[in-house]
DNA sequence: CAACATTAATTGTATGTACATATATTTGCC
DNA sequence: GGCAAATATATGTACATACAATTAATGTTG
């Protein structure tokens, strides 16, 4: 369904306004897809995001601030998310000996196993994007990057 | 900043995967922009969404299910959102006399006033999209619509 | 018309975000 | 060394979503 039909709105103030709504709507739809895949594994998208960041760090310790700065959702409350992952024993938290303010986090073997199980289902979501050519995909990526940088010129 | 820099990840599994992350990241960024505009008016994006739907209905009564089906975020808990708007006296709720299960909702004069005040700041967010030509905007809209419809072929 | 299914909305509980504040530790400067 | 500023994380509270269960009213069907 086109966005007009999805939210039952025939007219928009402009094509650009429609795009803004469409972005928000589609993102919300994507998140629901992810959730439906993760739910059986007792995992949520932000928790999954943290596990992916830790796996990407190849077993290295990563401090909490570093994780936050790499999250898809910048306003995630990483501290409390880590709490939940620690309870499930998928990550472990240690105070950094060099700087006791920091806590260093790493993914456990169990955490890695959960991630492995999720790789395929998550990939199948990404496959939904494959109808778009690589060239066009790059263009949309570029558009999104540019959009976020418009900000610098207008607000500041 | 490019998405690679934003989340400090140089490599992605594919250009398509990068686009998925970019969509989610940019949408989250957009929502924070909206929030910063709405906050001084004691309004949140989903509450604003409801007010816009009601204004679009030109003073007509709209029942709760109808509002939910038009929301940008489909999983909004409209019932509780309306509660908050009623407390602020920006909308009013009545039981539908023909079908007492339904509740009919309409926007008040005060609600309309708040919306008017927000029109300009919200428009200024939309203006960030203006660097993109109308032709390209249409193409991205089409891409998003297509993306959501891939679903029908793959999952079902 | 009475029993059962369906529908519309509300409510309960867990999870997560938004923003401000608090706590603990380290750093910089005199 | 001692004290203020800066930094890293944690916590309090309000708001919102996710999913299930409940309540109340209406439809349906034997």
């Amino acid at each position: 369904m086109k966005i007009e039909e999805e939210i039952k709105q025939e007219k928009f103030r402009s094509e650009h306004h429609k795009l803004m709504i469409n972005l928000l709507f589609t993102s919300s739809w994507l998140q629901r897809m992810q959730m439906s895949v993760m739910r059986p594994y007792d995992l949520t998208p932000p928790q999954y995001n943290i596990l992916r960041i830790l796996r990407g760090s190849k077993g290295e310790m990563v401090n909490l601030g570093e994780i936050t700065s790499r999250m898809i959702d910048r306003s995630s409350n990483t501290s409390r998310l880590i709490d939940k992952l620690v309870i499930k024993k998928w990550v472990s938290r240690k105070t950094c000996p060099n700087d006791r303010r920091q806590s260093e986090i790493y993914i456990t073997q169990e955490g890695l196993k959960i991630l492995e199980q999720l790789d395929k289902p998550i990939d199948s979501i990404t496959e939904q994007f494959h109808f778009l050519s690589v060239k066009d995909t790059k263009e949309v990526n570029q558009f999104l990057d540019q959009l976020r940088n418009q900000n610098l010129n207008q607000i500041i």
Side-chain angles (χ1 to χ4, degrees), chain A:
Chain A
M1 274 204 284
K2 293 168 78 173
I3 185 68
E4 291 92 320
E5 302 165 85
E6 292 283 12
I7 65 167
K8 299 186 190 168
Q9 182 176 336
E10 293 138 36
K11 291 217 165 188
F12 289 82
R13 287 163 101 89
S14 67
E15 196 70 20
H16 294 102
H17 183 233
K18 182 155 87 178
L19 180 51
M20 182 166 79
I21 307 293
N22 210 345
L23 263 176
L24 295 166
F25 183 86
T26 304
S27 170
S28 160
W29 169 87
L30 253 177
Q31 280 180 280
R32 278 197 306 281
M33 294 252 301
Q34 291 188 324
M35 264 183 297
S36 73
V37 162
M38 294 174 191
R39 173 152 260 278
Y41 300 88
D42 190 24
L43 207 59
T44 61
Q47 288 177 19
Y48 176 76
N49 194 192
I50 290 176
L51 292 184
R52 284 293 292 257
I53 290 165
L54 292 173
R55 182 170 69 177
S57 307
K58 290 163 191 172
E60 301 276 313
M61 301 280 210
V62 183
N63 71 47
L64 195 142
E66 179 70 14
I67 295 177
T68 305
S69 75
R70 292 193 191 168
M71 297 280 290
I72 294 172
D73 190 333
R74 276 296 161 72
S75 31
S76 293
N77 193 325
T78 313
S79 189
R80 284 189 271 234
L81 289 168
I82 299 280
D83 286 348
K84 305 241 165 91
L85 290 169
V86 167
I87 289 170
K88 288 187 270 201
K89 306 205 169 146
W90 294 337
V91 311
S92 202
R93 171 162 39 192
K94 261 197 226 176
T95 301
C96 170
N98 298 339
D99 183 343
R100 299 219 314 274
R101 287 168 305 180
Q102 293 184 36
S103 68
E104 291 187 325
I105 294 129
Y106 59 94
I107 189 167
T108 64
Q109 287 300 316
E110 291 171 75
L112 286 169
K113 268 186 210 163
I114 290 289
L115 270 191
E116 267 176 48
Q117 290 180 272
L118 269 161
D119 281 338
K120 268 201 181 165
I122 292 291
D123 280 352
S124 78
I125 296 179
T126 310
E127 274 163 28
Q128 312 243 65
F129 287 75
H130 282 26
F131 74 96
L132 198 66
S133 75
V134 173
K135 178 171 171 292
D136 288 347
T137 304
K138 280 184 184 165
E139 279 177 16
V140 182
N141 265 318
Q142 204 193 345
F143 155 66
L144 294 172
D145 292 346
Q146 274 187 269
L147 173 64
R148 293 194 310 275
N149 289 127
Q150 290 302 104
N151 199 23
L152 298 171
N153 308 325
Q154 304 220 354
I155 304 283
I156 301 177

